[in-house]
Amino acid sequence: MEFNRDVKIAPSILSADFADFGREIEAVESQGADWVHVDVMDGHFVPNLTFGPPAVKAFRRHVKTVMDVHLMIAPVDPYIDAYADAGADILTAHVEAGPHIHRTLQAIRGAGMKAGVALNPGTPAEAVAHLLDLVDLVCVMTVNPGFGGQSFLDMTDKIRRLREMIGDRETHIEIDGGVDPKTAPVVREAGADVLVAGSGVFRGGSVQNPSVYGDNIRAIREAAEASNPYPFNR
Ligand code: DX5
Ligand code: ZN
């Protein structure tokens, strides 16, 4: 996985057909997805339940790009090895998930994965100020996590601030929640490079009609690429 700050679209399979994950993953990848985003929820850290390690391991067989696993669970540490074994390339934990996020991020890298840290909308950029040398990705939530299809919350100031704090580090800024062709340029301009989109990609398409996924991915990518990312637009 070579680092760059090009726009990357990461469809969230939370919006896929839950009876057909293998073909859904293959459909979005063949239609231009750069990464595949997997939302793990525990019914405790967030009010919804999704995928345990065996499900994620089954998805892995179909992912040819990058499997980006977003843990919305607490605690995190007891499950790190299981998600490594499931084949996660990137494992992201929430800074709000427990008192020892520093240890969690060290353990994720120690298990051979790229480490990500996610921030809820109410959490300031400064919460990760002392973690930036431990992570490969910072995920800025632009909805309160738990469900797909919620409306976008503007976190522009936080994204710009993080982009400044990251400086020359090879750290991705990922945006998660409410990404569509209208919001994509806003977050790109603030300095984001990875755009997660659930409903924005899967809306209107299906494994029988995958070209809609391609149209949706292209529309988000083109809208994002039309803006010049911070700090180059100062
Ligand atoms: C929200 C999840 C997101 C979600 C995004 O808790 O982390 O990844 O699937 O869905 P959309 O793009 O529909 O807002
Ligand atoms: Zn997510």
Side-chain angles (χ1 to χ4, degrees):
M1 239 179 104
E2 206 161 292
F3 181 84
N4 65 56
R5 291 193 199 284
D6 298 346
V7 172
K8 288 167 281 296
I9 311 296
S12 163
I13 59 168
L14 189 61
S15 295
D17 175 355
F18 271 40
D20 209 356
F21 282 117
R23 290 201 294 167
E24 289 278 46
I25 289 166
E26 284 157 17
V28 290
E29 287 195 335
S30 70
Q31 293 294 324
D34 298 285
W35 294 5
V36 173
H37 185 83
V38 178
D39 286 307
V40 173
M41 305 186 184
D42 68 352
H44 160 77
F45 181 71
V46 289
N48 197 1
L49 270 171
T50 59
F51 318 120
V56 176
K57 192 170 191 164
F59 304 155
R60 175 76 260 183
R61 301 204 313 270
H62 301 274
V63 177
K64 296 191 190 75
T65 56
V66 170
M67 190 161 76
D68 172 35
V69 178
H70 176 193
L71 298 181
M72 287 160 276
I73 68 173
V76 174
D77 296 11
Y79 302 101
I80 290 172
D81 288 342
Y83 285 98
D85 179 59
D89 294 300
I90 305 171
L91 194 66
T92 296
H94 270 261
V95 69
E96 306 88 358
H100 303 299
I101 184 68
H102 193 285
R103 174 185 292 147
T104 299
L105 296 169
Q106 284 180 318
I108 292 172
R109 279 191 169 170
M113 296 171 283
K114 301 265 188 201
V117 65
L119 296 89
N120 281 333
T123 303
E126 281 63 30
V128 301
H130 300 283
L131 303 172
L132 292 176
D133 290 321
L134 291 173
V135 296
D136 305 284
L137 176 147
V138 178
C139 174
V140 179
M141 296 303 304
T142 40
V143 297
N144 288 296
F147 305 95
Q150 305 182 81
S151 50
F152 177 82
L153 303 171
D154 192 340
M155 296 283 137
T156 307
D157 291 349
K158 193 195 293 190
I159 301 165
R160 291 173 83 99
R161 178 82 193 100
L162 285 164
R163 183 67 193 84
E164 270 170 7
M165 289 161 62
I166 285 169
D168 292 332
R169 293 179 181 86
E170 295 195 343
T171 308
H172 299 289
I173 297 183
E174 176 176 75
I175 306 302
D176 192 359
V179 171
D180 63 20
K182 249 178 50 204
T183 57
V186 176
V187 297
R188 175 60 169 168
E189 196 168 308
D193 62 305
V194 185
L195 308 183
V196 174
S199 44
V201 166
F202 285 92
R203 186 184 294 129
S206 65
V207 293
Q208 286 79 27
N209 190 15
S211 65
V212 176
Y213 298 159
D215 295 341
N216 290 340
I217 289 169
R218 216 168 303 114
I220 295 169
R221 189 192 304 283
E222 283 171 9
E225 284 177 348
S227 53
N228 192 11
Y230 187 76
F232 306 112
N233 54 7
R234 268 191 288 205

